[in-house]
Amino acid sequence: MKTLVVVAHPQIDSSTTQQFFKSATENLNNIDYHVLGKDFNVDSEQQLLLKNDRIIFQFPMYWYSAPGLLKTWLDDVLTSGFVERNQNVFSNKELGLVVTTGSAEKDFQAGGRENFSISEILKPFEALANKTNMKYLTPLVVYQFLYLKPDEQQQLLVDYQQYLSNPHFQHLNGQINWFIEQLQQKITQDDTNDTELETLMNFLKEQQDTLEDLQWNLDLAKKDEDSY
Amino acid sequence: MKTLVVVAHPQIDSSTTQQFFKSATENLNNIDYHVLGKDFNVDSEQQLLLKNDRIIFQFPMYWYSAPGLLKTWLDDVLTSGFVERNQNVFSNKELGLVVTTGSAEKDFQAGGRENFSISEILKPFEALANKTNMKYLTPLVVYQFLYLKPDEQQQLLVDYQQYLSNPHFQHLNGQINWFIEQLQQKITQDDTNDTELETLMNFLKEQQDTLEDLQWNLDLAKKDEDSY
């Protein structure tokens, strides 16, 4: 799976959050990390869209939407003619969002300070996915990054890496698979006899077997229930 | 009431719809018709916002949102510091939207071609009004302008003029008042003895009296009902 991350941040160099994301991608393969500037070539941007399977828009939320930088890019690059000519290509793609906000998670609900939920606010992007027949992924929303504790940052790092590179990040089994792959890759790359890593990998594989057993038994139990 | 119309259209000169709107404002007073370009001065734009009572964003819907031109303007001009410093000023303002779309009205619903309602799609603007304490006006959405028949265009012209200049455009009585004012203005300006106009004005005033009577009786009937 190839992933395009379209990053739109007007002051990217002074953004701690964006630096965090950038460094999180360094050990990942098949990632096209694409930071937007004011000037771009429509043709080459369209080629980038075509050749990647997962398209991710990464931006800070400004007035409940993407910065003008990304909106202008969308208007100019994702023309309706381009989308229509490539209908079949787009229908095999996924659309994800990595959104950072200065407000807390609890603010985004009826009666809260922001009054509307994230799902409501990001509806235009869901509508875009709907129109282009891309699969809309649950957005990865990072609330108040600067308040995150070290272990929360560590969790975010893994979540972010999976959001970019794990084809099945929404399923537990897919998550374990992804970890095993990452470990295998690390062991191969480093060409070491790191027994600690090998042990961890075997532990994960066992966990996965247990998980598959549980899933099988659960399916069986559910089938029984359905027959009543 | 002073109204600022912030117009954002990347190809405004070739837009029939925008020409229609522009000419509709020619006989109206207290309208600041402000066509956005790529360059603007933040200070003078902020002054424009402060001195007008009704702020209207007028734009074609691109990817379920405003064009990048307007979004960049919003990001740069409506800074959170500026809004906070002028909290009391903003809480007396209204925010309206004049949005044109290439899709039909029936497309904007669950199961329709666009799948989401206009209220859902424009939620980020409602959230903006909510955050700045401006009163959010029901958006004036123009679906497929080029398909409008002459009488529908005529109706749109009046609706649009009222949306810009009528403080109470959402109430029938407010609409009649607005018509009377427009007529009175026309009679005074032209300095004519146009009996036809005078007759029309008197007719409207009578209608208004009838309407007030009806409203009074309705309120009375409702009060009776409530006492059961």
Side-chain angles (χ1 to χ4, degrees):
Chain A
M1 187 186 75
K2 287 182 183 170
T3 300
L4 171 67
V5 188
V6 180
V7 186
H9 195 301
Q11 287 98 33
I12 194 158
D13 294 329
S14 59
S15 163
T16 318
T17 324
Q18 294 301 327
Q19 280 160 24
F20 173 87
F21 288 144
K22 174 84 183 93
S23 64
T25 60
E26 274 161 17
N27 293 322
L28 298 177
N29 297 320
N30 294 316
I31 305 285
D32 225 326
Y33 201 79
H34 186 54
V35 177
L36 292 189
K38 276 190 185 165
D39 298 312
F40 49 83
N41 176 280
V42 171
D43 284 339
S44 56
E45 302 295 303
Q46 290 182 339
Q47 290 313 311
L48 268 181
L49 283 171
L50 289 182
K51 77 176 181 197
N52 282 285
D53 309 295
R54 182 173 287 177
I55 317 288
I56 291 176
F57 299 144
Q58 178 175 309
F59 57 85
M61 190 188 277
Y62 287 175
W63 288 123
Y64 310 102
S65 184
L69 191 61
L70 177 58
K71 191 63 212 329
T72 301
W73 184 88
L74 275 175
D75 295 349
D76 293 354
V77 174
L78 205 65
T79 59
S80 53
F82 169 64
V83 173
E84 270 165 43
R85 279 193 303 278
N86 298 283
Q87 269 185 26
N88 295 338
V89 186
F90 275 101
S91 63
N92 287 314
K93 293 186 189 302
E94 297 172 314
L95 179 66
L97 306 175
V98 175
V99 183
T100 58
T101 87
S103 299
E105 186 167 8
K106 68 172 169 49
D107 294 336
F108 291 94
Q109 57 181 314
R113 275 178 57 200
E114 303 295 355
N115 213 29
F116 301 110
S117 71
I118 286 289
S119 292
E120 289 176 292
I121 289 167
L122 296 177
K123 199 61 81 177
F125 291 97
E126 191 183 346
L128 188 157
N130 174 65
K131 188 73 168 188
T132 53
N133 285 314
M134 288 192 273
K135 183 178 187 294
Y136 185 62
L137 303 177
T138 312
L140 177 68
V141 184
V142 181
Y143 304 93
Q144 301 183 309
F145 176 81
L146 295 177
Y147 295 162
L148 293 186
K149 295 178 197 125
D151 60 322
E152 292 170 329
Q153 282 199 13
Q154 191 56 39
Q155 180 63 50
L156 173 62
L157 182 90
V158 175
D159 289 347
Y160 176 73
Q161 288 182 330
Q162 296 212 24
Y163 197 76
L164 265 54
S165 65
N166 184 349
H168 307 289
F169 71 96
Q170 282 163 316
H171 304 289
L172 182 54
N173 208 10
Q175 286 174 19
I176 297 176
N177 266 334
W178 183 85
F179 273 112
I180 293 172
E181 275 168 32
Q182 297 296 309
L183 282 172
Q184 256 164 349
Q185 200 177 304
K186 194 160 176 54
I187 292 167
T188 316
Q189 272 175 358
D190 298 359
D191 196 20
T192 57
N193 291 314
D194 193 331
T195 47
E196 208 176 335
L197 283 185
E198 298 248 14
T199 313
L200 180 56
M201 194 171 76
N202 288 329
F203 170 75
L204 279 173
K205 280 183 176 165
E206 276 169 37
Q207 292 283 308
Q208 197 179 24
D209 285 344
T210 316
L211 192 72
E212 275 168 13
D213 280 354
L214 278 169
Q215 190 61 50
W216 190 80
N217 279 305
L218 199 68
D219 286 350
L220 214 67
K222 212 166 157 250
K223 221 179 262 175
D224 271 1
E225 218 170 58
D226 287 348
S227 65
Y228 283 104
Chain B
M1 188 187 75
K2 286 181 183 171
T3 300
L4 172 66
V5 189
V6 180
V7 186
H9 195 300
Q11 288 98 32
I12 195 158
D13 294 329
S14 58
S15 162
T16 318
T17 325
Q18 294 300 327
Q19 281 161 23
F20 173 88
F21 288 144
K22 174 84 183 89
S23 64
T25 61
E26 273 160 17
N27 292 324
L28 297 178
N29 297 320
N30 294 316
I31 306 285
D32 225 326
Y33 201 81
H34 185 53
V35 178
L36 292 190
K38 274 188 186 167
D39 298 314
F40 48 83
N41 177 282
V42 171
D43 284 339
S44 57
E45 302 295 301
Q46 290 182 339
Q47 291 313 310
L48 267 181
L49 283 171
L50 289 181
K51 76 176 184 199
N52 282 285
D53 309 296
R54 181 173 288 178
I55 317 288
I56 292 175
F57 298 143
Q58 179 175 309
F59 57 86
M61 188 186 278
Y62 287 175
W63 286 122
Y64 311 101
S65 185
L69 190 62
L70 177 59
K71 190 64 211 330
T72 301
W73 184 88
L74 275 175
D75 295 348
D76 294 353
V77 174
L78 204 66
T79 61
S80 53
F82 168 64
V83 172
E84 269 166 42
R85 282 194 302 281
N86 298 285
Q87 269 185 27
N88 296 338
V89 186
F90 275 102
S91 63
N92 287 315
K93 294 188 189 303
E94 298 172 315
L95 178 67
L97 305 175
V98 175
V99 182
T100 57
T101 87
S103 299
E105 186 167 9
K106 68 173 168 48
D107 294 336
F108 292 94
Q109 56 181 314
R113 274 180 55 199
E114 302 295 356
N115 212 29
F116 302 110
S117 70
I118 285 289
S119 292
E120 288 176 291
I121 289 166
L122 297 176
K123 199 62 81 176
F125 291 97
E126 190 183 346
L128 188 157
N130 175 64
K131 187 73 166 188
T132 53
N133 285 314
M134 290 192 271
K135 182 178 189 293
Y136 185 62
L137 304 177
T138 311
L140 178 67
V141 184
V142 182
Y143 304 92
Q144 302 182 306
F145 176 82
L146 294 177
Y147 296 162
L148 294 186
K149 293 177 198 126
D151 59 323
E152 291 170 327
Q153 282 201 12
Q154 190 56 39
Q155 181 62 50
L156 173 62
L157 182 91
V158 174
D159 289 346
Y160 178 74
Q161 289 181 331
Q162 295 212 24
Y163 197 75
L164 265 52
S165 65
N166 184 351
H168 308 288
F169 71 96
Q170 283 162 316
H171 303 288
L172 183 56
N173 209 9
Q175 287 175 19
I176 297 176
N177 267 334
W178 182 85
F179 273 112
I180 292 171
E181 276 168 32
Q182 298 296 309
L183 281 173
Q184 255 161 353
Q185 200 177 304
K186 193 158 177 57
I187 292 166
T188 316
Q189 272 176 358
D190 299 359
D191 196 21
T192 56
N193 290 316
D194 192 328
T195 46
E196 209 174 335
L197 284 185
E198 299 248 14
T199 313
L200 180 56
M201 192 169 78
N202 288 329
F203 171 73
L204 279 174
K205 280 182 176 165
E206 274 169 39
Q207 293 283 307
Q208 197 178 26
D209 285 344
T210 315
L211 191 73
E212 275 167 14
D213 279 355
L214 278 170
Q215 189 61 50
W216 191 80
N217 280 306
L218 198 67
D219 285 350
L220 215 67
K222 211 163 160 255
K223 220 179 263 173
D224 271 2
E225 219 168 58
D226 287 348
S227 65
Y228 283 104

